[in-house]
Amino acid sequence: MSWHLLGAGSLGSLWAARLSAAGHSVELILRNEQRLADYLRAGGLQVRQGEQTLRHALPAGLAGDPLPIRRLLLACKAYDAADAIASVATRLLPGSQVILLQNGLGSQQAVADLLPHSQCICASSTEGAYRENDFQVVFAGQGQTWLGTSPANAAPDWFGELASAGIPVSWVSDIDSRLWRKLALNCAINPLTVLHDCRNGVLRAHESEVQTLCDELCQLLARCAPEAAIGLHETVWQVIDATAANYSSMYQDVQQGRRTEIDYLLNHACRSAEQHGLPLPALKQLQQRLQQYLQQRGLPCR
Ligand code: NAD
Ligand code: KPL
């Protein structure tokens, strides 16, 4: 059974390369004729890990191609997910399965609403990859990816193929809770690294600010995903220490003038707090400061 990949960027290329190297058929769906021509000229996807660079000449096509899709990996940014899926919706067979690799929350529901006849599988990943050039990806950090459905279902029969292709995956029954936990970590760390213009580790110097945000995020999690609140403060500090020398993904997006995923992280947290009638002043103020900062740099604040 073949896989299709929509969103041949950092994380998606990493998945496609491993599946293909393990003998699975994978076809890329590229955005337009120009991207397809660029890809064909590049001669495939290139993935570098340490000293080793491998090229994977995977077949590629466009969203409008006629072949039906049974298994799709959606690996674009959260803000592109709904438009991307709409472009292939008519090709998805009834009962098809779609893995959603987006960080944050909100895009998964938007996609699921467009696909009433497919099964959407959400993912939360701590793997790290970045693009050096078009179709050239660096595998920068080992990690883990948790997958599951909401409401919980058994793992699909092909799930073992992912692990045997070397993708470190676990099937979980609490994917919502894991997505909320990751969202909370990202809300406690990423916006502050942007506003203080710093690496993650420097947040040790802003301890009370981080603690206040964690207090409020715990109040929000208590309403939305109570298990995700357990030990949040400790985990935030562990992540800050373990990634002290790194710049957060949001920091890197801003530095490179790229749109951030704020709408699926901090904005989503603030919207959810409002829906629950929960006043979270520090989180709200953080959102206002970050939105102002982004606006001043000509970047979208959603
Ligand atoms: P990326 O920007 O490197 O890749 C996204 C790709 O999707 C791009 O190549 C873009 O051209 C393509 N795309 C967008 N819309 C499209 C469309 N309509 N048709 C075809 N292609 C389209 O992004 P990424 O870093 O791989 O991140 C993807 C998601 O995974 C994000 O939500 C991110 O937060 C999450 N994530 C990334 C990492 C990482 O290390 N890169 C780690 C964990 C989670
Ligand atoms: O996920 C992260 C990111 O940079 O997006 C960490 C390292 C956890 C910081 O929030």
Side-chain angles (χ1 to χ4, degrees):
M1 189 98 66
S2 71
W3 284 90
H4 283 85
L5 167 66
L6 183 56
S10 316
L11 207 53
S13 298
L14 211 55
W15 276 62
R18 290 177 292 195
L19 284 167
S20 163
H24 301 288
S25 137
V26 186
E27 181 172 331
L28 314 186
I29 302 172
L30 299 173
R31 203 192 270 268
N32 53 37
E33 296 279 0
Q34 182 59 55
R35 292 285 293 165
L36 183 56
D38 292 346
Y39 173 76
L40 295 174
R41 203 170 312 111
L45 292 178
Q46 199 170 292
V47 178
R48 178 161 74 80
Q49 183 175 9
E51 303 289 286
Q52 193 186 50
T53 302
L54 294 176
R55 190 184 295 278
H56 306 263
L58 308 182
L62 297 172
D65 289 353
L67 268 188
I69 299 173
R70 193 173 292 280
R71 286 191 210 164
L72 179 73
L73 188 61
L74 181 67
C76 56
K77 298 282 195 187
Y79 47 76
D80 282 328
D83 283 350
I85 209 71
S87 73
V88 296
T90 55
R91 290 177 62 187
L92 284 159
L93 291 169
S96 54
Q97 285 152 326
V98 182
I99 297 184
L100 308 177
L101 272 175
Q102 288 62 49
N103 199 16
L105 277 160
S107 68
Q108 299 87 348
Q109 192 57 54
V111 169
D113 290 346
L114 294 171
L115 302 181
H117 305 299
S118 300
Q119 183 187 34
C120 289
I121 297 170
C122 299
S124 176
S125 183
T126 60
E127 290 200 291
Y130 64 89
R131 273 184 288 168
E132 263 180 335
N133 274 306
D134 274 357
F135 309 114
Q136 293 182 6
V137 167
V138 179
F139 188 0
Q142 306 281 341
Q144 181 69 24
T145 302
W146 293 272
L147 294 116
T149 59
S150 177
N153 272 307
D157 51 8
W158 46 261
F159 188 68
E161 287 177 13
L162 302 179
S164 37
I167 304 174
V169 284
S170 308
W171 186 263
V172 295
S173 57
D174 61 347
I175 192 67
D176 282 344
S177 181
R178 286 170 191 269
L179 287 164
W180 268 109
R181 175 74 160 200
K182 177 91 191 310
L183 178 148
L185 283 170
N186 288 154
C187 286
I189 299 173
N190 298 11
L192 287 179
T193 63
V194 172
L195 295 170
H196 292 299
D197 189 14
C198 69
R199 294 177 197 264
N200 293 354
V202 175
L203 296 185
R204 276 275 172 203
H206 301 278
E207 192 169 334
S208 66
E209 216 176 353
V210 174
Q211 288 290 101
T212 306
L213 288 174
C214 289
D215 292 343
E216 292 194 0
L217 286 162
C218 278
Q219 292 179 48
L220 179 62
L221 293 179
R223 302 284 181 97
C224 301
E227 284 183 7
I230 300 166
L232 180 72
H233 295 69
E234 291 74 14
T235 307
V236 165
W237 289 114
Q238 279 163 12
V239 171
I240 286 174
D241 291 339
T243 61
N246 298 354
Y247 287 108
S248 75
S249 54
M250 187 179 273
Y251 179 97
Q252 293 179 44
D253 284 341
V254 172
Q255 284 299 308
Q256 290 166 32
R258 290 192 305 239
R259 183 173 176 182
T260 69
E261 293 184 302
I262 179 178
D263 212 41
Y264 303 86
L265 299 168
L266 189 52
N267 291 357
H268 186 86
C270 290
R271 275 194 300 269
S272 301
E274 264 168 44
Q275 281 158 12
H276 285 280
L278 203 58
L280 299 178
L283 213 58
K284 188 81 200 150
Q285 199 203 31
L286 183 71
Q287 181 194 30
Q288 284 162 355
R289 285 165 65 202
L290 182 62
Q291 289 186 334
Q292 195 178 16
Y293 188 98
L294 295 174
Q295 249 165 0
Q296 281 164 357
R297 281 152 188 81
L299 291 170
C301 49
R302 3 180 350 268

PDB file of all heavy atoms in Angstrom, residues 103 182 185-186 189-190 200 239 243 247-249, ligand 2:
ATOM      1  N   ASN A 103       1.998  20.831  14.799  1.00  0.00           N
ATOM      2  CA  ASN A 103       2.176  21.192  16.205  1.00  0.00           C
ATOM      3  C   ASN A 103       0.986  22.054  16.650  1.00  0.00           C
ATOM      4  O   ASN A 103       0.271  22.610  15.824  1.00  0.00           O
ATOM      5  CB  ASN A 103       3.474  22.002  16.337  1.00  0.00           C
ATOM      6  CG  ASN A 103       3.980  22.040  17.748  1.00  0.00           C
ATOM      7  OD1 ASN A 103       3.569  21.249  18.605  1.00  0.00           O
ATOM      8  ND2 ASN A 103       4.873  22.980  18.019  1.00  0.00           N
ATOM      9  N   LYS A 182       2.174  19.622  25.058  1.00  0.00           N
ATOM     10  CA  LYS A 182       3.200  20.229  24.201  1.00  0.00           C
ATOM     11  C   LYS A 182       2.852  21.695  23.943  1.00  0.00           C
ATOM     12  O   LYS A 182       3.725  22.562  23.955  1.00  0.00           O
ATOM     13  CB  LYS A 182       3.296  19.443  22.884  1.00  0.00           C
ATOM     14  CG  LYS A 182       4.261  19.984  21.856  1.00  0.00           C
ATOM     15  CD  LYS A 182       5.625  19.363  22.018  1.00  0.00           C
ATOM     16  CE  LYS A 182       6.753  20.000  21.226  1.00  0.00           C
ATOM     17  NZ  LYS A 182       6.519  20.212  19.817  1.00  0.00           N
ATOM     18  N   LEU A 185       3.894  23.661  26.975  1.00  0.00           N
ATOM     19  CA  LEU A 185       5.363  23.845  27.001  1.00  0.00           C
ATOM     20  C   LEU A 185       5.762  24.946  26.022  1.00  0.00           C
ATOM     21  O   LEU A 185       6.551  25.835  26.345  1.00  0.00           O
ATOM     22  CB  LEU A 185       6.059  22.554  26.551  1.00  0.00           C
ATOM     23  CG  LEU A 185       6.150  21.412  27.540  1.00  0.00           C
ATOM     24  CD1 LEU A 185       6.634  20.147  26.851  1.00  0.00           C
ATOM     25  CD2 LEU A 185       7.140  21.791  28.635  1.00  0.00           C
ATOM     26  N   ASN A 186       5.209  24.881  24.825  1.00  0.00           N
ATOM     27  CA  ASN A 186       5.553  25.870  23.814  1.00  0.00           C
ATOM     28  C   ASN A 186       5.088  27.278  24.210  1.00  0.00           C
ATOM     29  O   ASN A 186       5.751  28.260  23.904  1.00  0.00           O
ATOM     30  CB  ASN A 186       4.969  25.482  22.448  1.00  0.00           C
ATOM     31  CG  ASN A 186       5.687  24.304  21.806  1.00  0.00           C
ATOM     32  OD1 ASN A 186       5.122  23.574  21.008  1.00  0.00           O
ATOM     33  ND2 ASN A 186       6.950  24.087  22.148  1.00  0.00           N
ATOM     34  N   ILE A 189       7.498  28.691  26.901  1.00  0.00           N
ATOM     35  CA  ILE A 189       8.896  28.926  26.503  1.00  0.00           C
ATOM     36  C   ILE A 189       9.017  29.827  25.259  1.00  0.00           C
ATOM     37  O   ILE A 189       9.701  30.861  25.282  1.00  0.00           O
ATOM     38  CB  ILE A 189       9.611  27.571  26.231  1.00  0.00           C
ATOM     39  CG1 ILE A 189       9.624  26.713  27.508  1.00  0.00           C
ATOM     40  CG2 ILE A 189      11.029  27.803  25.718  1.00  0.00           C
ATOM     41  CD1 ILE A 189      10.151  25.284  27.316  1.00  0.00           C
ATOM     42  N   ASN A 190       8.361  29.436  24.178  1.00  0.00           N
ATOM     43  CA  ASN A 190       8.673  30.052  22.881  1.00  0.00           C
ATOM     44  C   ASN A 190       8.422  31.564  22.819  1.00  0.00           C
ATOM     45  O   ASN A 190       9.308  32.306  22.369  1.00  0.00           O
ATOM     46  CB  ASN A 190       7.908  29.326  21.764  1.00  0.00           C
ATOM     47  CG  ASN A 190       8.313  27.857  21.653  1.00  0.00           C
ATOM     48  OD1 ASN A 190       8.994  27.326  22.521  1.00  0.00           O
ATOM     49  ND2 ASN A 190       7.898  27.192  20.593  1.00  0.00           N
ATOM     50  N   ASN A 200      16.825  29.358  24.792  1.00  0.00           N
ATOM     51  CA  ASN A 200      15.914  28.815  25.811  1.00  0.00           C
ATOM     52  C   ASN A 200      16.497  28.936  27.222  1.00  0.00           C
ATOM     53  O   ASN A 200      15.801  29.285  28.173  1.00  0.00           O
ATOM     54  CB  ASN A 200      15.592  27.347  25.517  1.00  0.00           C
ATOM     55  CG  ASN A 200      14.777  27.178  24.235  1.00  0.00           C
ATOM     56  OD1 ASN A 200      14.355  28.162  23.633  1.00  0.00           O
ATOM     57  ND2 ASN A 200      14.559  25.943  23.822  1.00  0.00           N
ATOM     58  N   VAL A 239      12.840  21.040  30.255  1.00  0.00           N
ATOM     59  CA  VAL A 239      13.013  21.296  28.818  1.00  0.00           C
ATOM     60  C   VAL A 239      13.924  22.516  28.622  1.00  0.00           C
ATOM     61  O   VAL A 239      14.812  22.512  27.755  1.00  0.00           O
ATOM     62  CB  VAL A 239      11.643  21.495  28.123  1.00  0.00           C
ATOM     63  CG1 VAL A 239      11.823  21.988  26.684  1.00  0.00           C
ATOM     64  CG2 VAL A 239      10.845  20.198  28.130  1.00  0.00           C
ATOM     65  N   THR A 243      17.424  22.088  26.676  1.00  0.00           N
ATOM     66  CA  THR A 243      17.569  22.757  25.371  1.00  0.00           C
ATOM     67  C   THR A 243      18.170  24.155  25.557  1.00  0.00           C
ATOM     68  O   THR A 243      17.945  25.042  24.722  1.00  0.00           O
ATOM     69  CB  THR A 243      16.195  22.876  24.661  1.00  0.00           C
ATOM     70  OG1 THR A 243      15.315  23.670  25.497  1.00  0.00           O
ATOM     71  CG2 THR A 243      15.552  21.518  24.415  1.00  0.00           C
ATOM     72  N   TYR A 247      17.771  27.766  20.210  1.00  0.00           N
ATOM     73  CA  TYR A 247      16.756  28.795  20.010  1.00  0.00           C
ATOM     74  C   TYR A 247      15.442  28.077  19.719  1.00  0.00           C
ATOM     75  O   TYR A 247      15.419  27.097  18.965  1.00  0.00           O
ATOM     76  CB  TYR A 247      17.114  29.685  18.817  1.00  0.00           C
ATOM     77  CG  TYR A 247      18.265  30.626  19.090  1.00  0.00           C
ATOM     78  CD1 TYR A 247      19.514  30.422  18.511  1.00  0.00           C
ATOM     79  CD2 TYR A 247      18.093  31.711  19.953  1.00  0.00           C
ATOM     80  CE1 TYR A 247      20.569  31.290  18.771  1.00  0.00           C
ATOM     81  CE2 TYR A 247      19.146  32.581  20.216  1.00  0.00           C
ATOM     82  CZ  TYR A 247      20.374  32.360  19.624  1.00  0.00           C
ATOM     83  OH  TYR A 247      21.405  33.224  19.889  1.00  0.00           O
ATOM     84  N   SER A 248      14.348  28.543  20.316  1.00  0.00           N
ATOM     85  CA  SER A 248      13.051  27.874  20.112  1.00  0.00           C
ATOM     86  C   SER A 248      12.638  27.991  18.640  1.00  0.00           C
ATOM     87  O   SER A 248      13.121  28.857  17.906  1.00  0.00           O
ATOM     88  CB  SER A 248      11.973  28.505  21.003  1.00  0.00           C
ATOM     89  OG  SER A 248      11.583  29.755  20.470  1.00  0.00           O
ATOM     90  N   SER A 249      11.707  27.133  18.243  1.00  0.00           N
ATOM     91  CA  SER A 249      11.266  27.144  16.843  1.00  0.00           C
ATOM     92  C   SER A 249      10.615  28.481  16.489  1.00  0.00           C
ATOM     93  O   SER A 249      10.792  29.003  15.387  1.00  0.00           O
ATOM     94  CB  SER A 249      10.295  25.991  16.592  1.00  0.00           C
ATOM     95  OG  SER A 249       9.239  26.035  17.515  1.00  0.00           O
TER      96      SER A 249
HETATM   97  O1  KPL B   2       9.315  22.499  21.078  1.00  0.00           O
HETATM   98  C1  KPL B   2      10.090  23.404  21.298  1.00  0.00           C
HETATM   99  C2  KPL B   2      10.209  24.463  20.273  1.00  0.00           C
HETATM  100  O2  KPL B   2      11.229  25.152  20.191  1.00  0.00           O
HETATM  101  O3  KPL B   2       9.235  24.605  19.502  1.00  0.00           O
HETATM  102  C3  KPL B   2      10.830  23.446  22.598  1.00  0.00           C
HETATM  103  C4  KPL B   2      12.260  23.059  22.405  1.00  0.00           C
HETATM  104  C5  KPL B   2      10.194  22.453  23.551  1.00  0.00           C
HETATM  105  C6  KPL B   2      10.728  24.783  23.226  1.00  0.00           C
HETATM  106  O4  KPL B   2       9.414  25.121  23.483  1.00  0.00           O
END
